[in-house]
Amino acid sequence: DRSNDRALREELAAAYRKLGDILGQPFAANLGDTEGALENYRKAAAILEDLAASGRPDAAVLLDLGSVYAKEGRIASRAGSFDEAVAAGERSVRAREKAVALDRSSRDARHALVAGKLFLGMSYGEAAKPRNEVAKLTAWEALSSTALAEARQLSAETPADETAQLQVCQACQYTAY
């Protein structure tokens, strides 16, 4: 974990993420060890955060970091810890926004950002329901609308892009919900 070899640290973070997936990735086949998954996701996040802060911006590292945060958020959401899901979703979106800023031409980064915004918006909605928090509901609506516009842009740029088409449909559903 303490190596100065950047490539080795990236591989180690990927291994922790994959182990987390095997143990308890939400909404996928896994071994049912949610706590073990979270522990490994947090180890991956710590390594990726260190790499992201190392002074050499790297879109791939930021995308991986955003993915790990999203998995943490999905676990929190599934457990009914919606405020934790919001916090993880916000971290995920920030990491993905930085990745897109570094490489605007990356369709993968832009798709990941749309997905992150949709998850964060839904998390705002779930967190707002018990207390009828209008600010979070408004944030949900704004994120869904922004994600819809971004998915439409991706779809318009490459009409054969099925991921963009699916994201347009999902964003329409979230916006209507």
Side-chain angles (χ1 to χ4, degrees):
D1 286 358
R2 294 182 198 10
S3 171
N4 289 330
D5 185 329
R6 185 175 182 91
L8 180 60
R9 297 191 75 216
E10 288 176 17
E11 286 183 38
L12 182 59
Y16 280 130
R17 181 183 41 78
K18 288 175 186 176
L19 183 55
D21 291 349
I22 291 166
L23 292 172
Q25 179 179 358
F27 308 106
N30 64 65
L31 296 176
D33 182 2
T34 303
E35 288 304 314
L38 276 172
E39 181 181 329
N40 283 284
Y41 290 149
R42 288 179 182 139
K43 288 178 182 180
I47 293 168
L48 293 167
E49 287 166 354
D50 187 51
L51 289 170
S54 70
R56 287 189 354 209
D58 184 327
V61 167
L62 290 165
L63 283 177
D64 287 345
L65 182 58
S67 174
V68 170
Y69 288 151
K71 290 172 188 232
E72 291 175 357
R74 284 187 183 91
I75 288 173
S77 178
R78 194 167 203 194
S81 302
F82 299 116
D83 289 331
E84 288 179 38
V86 165
E90 288 173 342
R91 289 191 306 271
S92 177
V93 167
R94 280 194 303 271
R96 291 170 175 184
E97 285 174 337
K98 289 176 184 176
V100 169
L102 288 172
D103 187 3
R104 181 74 184 146
S105 66
S106 170
R107 296 186 65 75
D108 289 342
R110 292 170 63 201
H111 282 303
L113 180 55
V114 168
K117 287 179 179 181
L118 289 172
F119 172 76
L120 177 56
M122 186 62 77
S123 297
Y124 278 138
E126 293 296 333
K129 281 181 189 177
R131 301 178 295 264
N132 286 328
E133 295 180 56
V134 175
K136 285 184 180 170
L137 291 170
T138 302
W140 177 16
E141 179 183 27
L143 277 168
S144 295
S145 296
T146 301
L148 176 59
E150 291 172 9
R152 283 182 172 154
Q153 178 65 39
L154 282 163
S155 182
E157 290 171 9
T158 311
D161 183 350
E162 290 181 19
T163 301
Q165 293 171 4
L166 290 171
Q167 285 184 321
V168 168
C169 292
Q170 187 179 24
C172 286
Q173 290 173 327
Y174 283 23
T175 303
Y177 183 70

